[in-house]
Amino acid sequence: MSSATDVELRQLRCLVAILDEGGFTDAAAVLGVSQAAVSRTLASLERALGVRLLMRTSRVVTPTAAGLRVAAHARKVLGEVDALVREASHRHTRLRIGYAWSALGRHTLAFQRRWAAEHPATDLQLVRVNSPSAGLAEGATDMAVVRRPLDDRRFDAALVGLERRLCALAADDPLARRRSVRLADLGGRTLLIDRRTGATTPDLWPAGARPATEETHDVDDWLTVIATGRGVGMTAESTANQYPRPGIVYRPVRDAEPVAVRLAWWRDDPHPATQAVMELLTALYRAQ
């Protein structure tokens, strides 16, 4: 019985080339090998799989039913391999920065424009990933903007700025008429929190005066519940900039500590642009 180790990428490329080019001669030219090498490679793939993949006559090459099925999978495998190679080789020309709820608030557009102007060779992509590491642990991002400490020794992080902590309220909430609120004003409310990525926990309040909590998992769900008046939210100022929403108002919480904004990256494999990103973000937050 064949195993995955019996099948090689060169064999899959050979099969696809034969089908795409319509024969062994043209496939050999595309692959840069002899026609005899193409025949041997295809034969070795058929032996490894234990099935006949192509029917040959003097004029035409026709895939068998098994050949069509194998070719379909082969194209997917080769596509994934090509994507893997691009991922590894484009690291200096692409930069993916993850975030969970809000990117950089009112600094987002300035950061994107200044980066494009100052580093045109590195394509910047902001990626929303609602996970504790904003995509770092999942391999979806190269760096991440996080608003809570990462309890993971695989990552390093640096403080780039501070943001005011705001309360999100339904527009018709009595507290919405105030210019600011205090933590004590919210003690009897239901606080919507995201335990995975949120920057606010009931620990902001003294023991015995903490609000009830309800868990949420996405900023859109969070906003929807707040708009109904069923609960209130506490968030970094960037959320208000990123998600203005009819029916919701944001008010500063004047006795709550600010939210620390950190840039995180892989400790053992930092992206080449890490220092440049950190310097630009720090400058933007200092200039606010």
Side-chain angles (χ1 to χ4, degrees), residues 146-162:
V146 295
R147 291 175 173 83
R148 62 189 295 174
L150 288 179
D151 186 21
D152 192 324
R153 295 180 62 83
R154 295 177 298 173
F155 307 129
D156 267 336
L159 180 70
V160 294
L162 297 173

Side-chain angles (χ1 to χ4, degrees), residues 8 52 85 100 106 125 186 188 212 216 220 241:
E8 302 176 13
R52 186 74 175 270
V85 172
R106 62 191 181 91
Q125 300 174 13
L186 307 172
T216 187
D220 291 310
N241 295 115

Side-chain angles (χ1 to χ4, degrees), residues 95-98 134 136 141-145 263-265 271 273-274 277:
L95 171 60
R96 302 167 303 169
I97 299 182
L136 277 180
T141 58
D142 305 301
M143 290 179 239
V145 175
L263 180 70
W265 60 89
H271 190 281
T274 300
V277 173

Side-chain angles (χ1 to χ4, degrees), residues 9-10 14 59 70 78 81 90 96-97 102 111-112 136 140 151 176 216 220 224-226 228 270 272 277 282:
L9 291 178
R10 66 181 183 86
C14 178
R59 295 184 177 181
V70 171
L78 294 173
V81 171
H90 291 180
R96 302 167 303 169
I97 299 182
S102 55
F111 174 62
Q112 291 172 304
L136 277 180
D151 186 21
T216 187
D220 291 310
T224 298
V225 175
I226 292 171
T228 67
V277 173
T282 302

Side-chain angles (χ1 to χ4, degrees), residues 106-107 114 159-162 278-288:
R106 62 191 181 91
H107 302 302
R114 284 188 55 176
L159 180 70
V160 294
L162 297 173
M278 186 164 40
E279 291 175 358
L280 178 52
L281 291 181
T282 302
L284 288 171
Y285 273 97
R286 283 179 178 171
Q288 66 183 9

Side-chain angles (χ1 to χ4, degrees), residues 42-65:
L42 177 68
S44 68
L45 177 59
E46 290 180 326
R47 285 196 301 272
L49 296 177
V51 295
R52 186 74 175 270
L53 300 175
L54 299 177
M55 300 295 292
R56 284 191 286 175
T57 67
S58 58
R59 295 184 177 181
V60 67
V61 174
T62 305
T64 63

